[in-house]
Amino acid sequence: MAQDDEKKVASEAHEIPIESADAEETANASSAPEEVEPETAEEVEAEVIEPEAEPEATPEAAAEETAFADAVEAEALEGEEVPTLDELAQAKADAAAMRDRYLRLQADWDNFRKRTAEQNAEMRQRATERLMEDVLPVLDDFERAIAHASQNGETGLLDGVKAISTKLNEVLAKHGLEPIGEPGEPFDAIAHQAVATVPDDSVPDETVAQVYQKGYRMGGKVIRSAMVTITTGGPRREAEDDK
């Protein structure tokens, strides 16, 4: 008896995994997705959604668009004031007045320019006349010295010429003319024109030794350089900055 019970229990325990395996296969078969047959080319093309065709423009729609554009333009111009005929006439009159004023100012400027040029030329002429008026007495002295030498010989001619020269220098100095070139003064490349050199070690180097022709300065400007000879071989002249 006991042996029969043990055989029965063993057989039941051996059958349990078989039943569980069958159940698992059944569950997997039920949960697996069903295979879908591929669609044909005709079915795919039928599923493509074609774009909707735009509605054709009708005369009524075009008229509505034109009316809308006109309304927008009218609204934009609503804030602007349209000038009246009187305002237009006043604007034209103002423009004409401004143009006339411009032409008058241009003419006045041209006249001023011409008048200023004439005044400057006249001032130069007057300055030259004043210089000539001061030089005329010197010419008179030259004529009297020549007449005296012709009548009385050369006696006293040298003193007369010296006096005339002194008087002429005074007239020119009165009008701002200054002579340039004195022996013993330092050489200046602007005021002097060196035409020769003289060896002399008793004076500083580049000292004016002799003046062949005087130069002149007027208003601080050298109008003619003096022709001079300068010394060489002497000691170096100290610059003004070194003193």
Side-chain angles (χ1 to χ4, degrees):
M1 242 349 246
Q3 294 177 354
D4 294 336
D5 291 336
E6 291 177 359
K7 293 179 180 180
K8 184 179 181 181
V9 171
S11 62
E12 289 178 356
H14 184 71
E15 292 176 356
I16 289 173
I18 296 173
E19 292 177 357
S20 62
D22 295 340
E24 185 176 356
E25 290 178 0
T26 305
N28 292 335
S30 62
S31 62
E34 297 181 358
E35 295 182 358
V36 180
E37 295 181 359
E39 297 179 352
T40 61
E42 291 77 3
E43 293 176 351
V44 173
E45 292 179 357
E47 292 179 358
V48 175
I49 301 175
E50 297 181 356
E52 297 181 358
E54 296 182 357
E56 297 181 357
T58 61
E60 292 78 4
E64 290 180 0
E65 292 180 0
T66 304
F68 178 75
D70 294 340
V72 172
E73 185 177 359
E75 184 179 355
L77 296 176
E78 185 177 357
E80 299 182 0
E81 297 181 359
V82 179
T84 62
L85 295 177
D86 294 339
E87 292 176 346
L88 289 175
Q90 183 63 35
K92 290 181 179 180
D94 294 342
M98 292 295 293
R99 182 175 183 276
D100 181 69
R101 182 180 180 185
Y102 168 76
L103 294 177
R104 289 179 180 274
L105 289 175
Q106 185 67 28
D108 292 341
W109 169 249
D110 292 339
N111 294 334
F112 171 77
R113 215 164 28 85
K114 294 177 182 178
R115 185 168 59 253
T116 302
E118 293 176 356
Q119 290 177 353
N120 291 337
E122 186 176 356
M123 290 176 61
R124 288 192 294 269
Q125 183 67 25
R126 293 289 179 269
T128 305
E129 290 178 0
R130 289 194 296 270
L131 176 60
M132 294 301 104
E133 289 175 358
D134 292 338
V135 172
L136 287 177
V138 180
L139 294 178
D140 295 337
D141 290 343
F142 270 117
E143 292 178 356
R144 282 192 288 268
I146 294 172
H148 179 77
S150 299
Q151 296 175 2
N152 303 318
E154 297 181 0
T155 304
L157 179 60
L158 180 60
D159 294 336
V161 171
K162 288 182 178 179
I164 295 172
S165 176
T166 301
K167 189 174 183 179
L168 179 59
N169 288 329
E170 291 176 355
V171 171
L172 297 177
K174 178 182 177 181
H175 289 273
L177 189 68
E178 302 175 6
I180 300 174
E182 292 291 338
E185 64 184 10
F187 173 76
D188 186 350
I190 298 177
H192 303 133
Q193 179 183 356
V195 295
T197 57
V198 178
D200 189 350
D201 57 0
S202 62
V203 295
D205 197 16
E206 294 187 351
T207 300
V208 175
Q210 186 178 2
V211 179
Y212 285 111
Q213 177 179 282
K214 284 190 176 183
Y216 292 94
R217 179 189 293 112
M218 188 171 186
K221 179 182 178 181
V222 176
I223 59 178
R224 191 180 77 180
S225 300
M227 297 177 63
V228 299
T229 60
I230 58 175
T231 61
T232 58
R236 179 178 175 273
R237 182 182 298 274
E238 295 182 0
E240 294 182 357
D241 296 339
D242 298 339
K243 294 182 178 181

